[in-house]
Amino acid sequence: MSAIGLVLAIAVPLALLMLGAVVYNRNLQKKQAKQNQARLIRQKAGDLLEALEYLMLVDSHRDIQSAVLERVKELYALAASQAGAEAGKGDFDAEPYEQKIKADGPCRRVLKSDRELKYGRRQFSAVLKALTLMAKKKQISETAMVEYRRYLKMTLLEREVDTYTAQGDVAAGRGDIVTAANYFKAARKLLIEFDIQFPEKNQRVKAIAEKTAALYRGEKNEVLDEPDGPNDNLSKALSKEAAAETNEFGMSSDPGAVKKRY
């Protein structure tokens, strides 16, 4: 065998082997990239599902919940598609959530601590962002998105104002004037700074201002004794809670009041 033939006999298989290794590494990198992308999408779906679970707990607008559930299903399906061979693993079962939405059970209006209020804001924000993206993708109409956004922002405001007001009522019932005034101030500030106008806004601001004035006039707060008193159900529910630690504003910040998932 000539020298050239010998070189070719060695070089060609070696070149093919190296080419195969390059192709294999590129395919492996692509597969890993898709798997990483699938994990990110699955995490995004899980975060939105957590927000949906919280929304189902505190609100009863089932059309919004159904729309968000469709987005969750889409994200899990996309994650499965990106995962390739792992597509059959960990499929999302939407049926329990669909059944819960259809059941239209009662929702909870009592947010038990300042930490839960912050958690609620975060979850509502996640839902609002999802709805905006769905409108861009034409999955819901612009009109529906605007309607849903207004409804959710109003609902969050109501939960915050009702909770702060009820917490103020409970503090006033204990004779804690400073804490009660702080809660009423927080509720009034939320209403004043809210960027959507609604008919009851000025009336609610005035009512809270009157509550604050009554504190300093020394008038007895009988909200827990009067069956038809303002925020009676909220106040009674809150009054059953164990005394929690307070933050620098005199508001509850009990770290055990909110769990990660609902």
Side-chain angles (χ1 to χ4, degrees), residues 64-121:
I64 295 177
Q65 294 168 14
S66 295
V68 175
L69 181 58
E70 287 301 314
R71 175 61 177 164
V72 171
K73 290 163 63 177
E74 178 191 21
L75 287 172
Y76 274 114
L78 181 58
S81 175
Q82 287 288 332
E86 298 180 0
K89 298 182 180 179
D91 288 339
F92 173 62
D93 183 9
E95 185 176 358
Y97 297 94
E98 293 171 347
Q99 293 299 324
K100 189 172 182 179
I101 291 173
K102 290 178 182 178
D104 198 20
C107 58
R108 180 166 65 84
R109 294 181 61 196
V110 179
L111 306 182
K112 300 175 184 178
S113 69
D114 189 50
R115 173 172 283 191
E116 187 174 349
L117 285 169
K118 291 178 181 178
Y119 180 87
R121 293 185 197 111

Side-chain angles (χ1 to χ4, degrees), residues 1-14:
M1 180 180 292
S2 66
I4 296 177
L6 181 61
V7 170
L8 289 176
I10 296 174
V12 170
L14 183 60

Side-chain angles (χ1 to χ4, degrees), residues 15-30:
L16 291 174
L17 182 62
M18 293 177 64
L19 178 62
V22 170
V23 172
Y24 174 79
N25 286 333
R26 286 183 178 178
N27 289 337
L28 183 60
Q29 289 176 356
K30 288 181 180 178

Side-chain angles (χ1 to χ4, degrees), residues 108-112 166 170 224 231-242:
R108 180 166 65 84
R109 294 181 61 196
V110 179
L111 306 182
K112 300 175 184 178
V170 172
L224 300 181
N231 293 309
D232 181 64
N233 291 333
L234 286 170
S235 300
K236 285 184 176 179
L238 286 168
S239 69
K240 296 176 182 177
E241 297 298 318

Side-chain angles (χ1 to χ4, degrees), residues 144-219:
M145 189 269 289
V146 171
E147 175 191 336
Y148 291 166
R149 283 181 62 86
R150 177 183 173 85
Y151 176 85
L152 287 171
K153 292 178 74 172
M154 288 288 299
T155 299
L156 180 59
L157 175 74
E158 289 173 359
R159 295 294 179 271
E160 292 178 320
V161 171
D162 284 348
T163 299
Y164 280 144
T165 303
Q167 287 171 325
D169 287 338
V170 172
R174 296 195 305 263
D176 188 345
I177 304 303
V178 174
T179 300
N182 282 336
Y183 279 126
F184 292 152
K185 180 180 178 181
R188 188 167 177 267
K189 186 173 185 288
L190 283 171
L191 284 165
I192 292 173
E193 295 181 352
F194 191 57
D195 60 358
I196 297 177
Q197 294 298 321
F198 56 97
E200 301 83 7
K201 182 175 181 177
N202 291 337
Q203 181 181 350
R204 296 204 66 179
V205 170
K206 182 179 178 181
I208 294 173
E210 290 175 351
K211 279 178 172 288
T212 305
L215 286 174
Y216 294 106
R217 290 197 300 266
E219 296 179 5

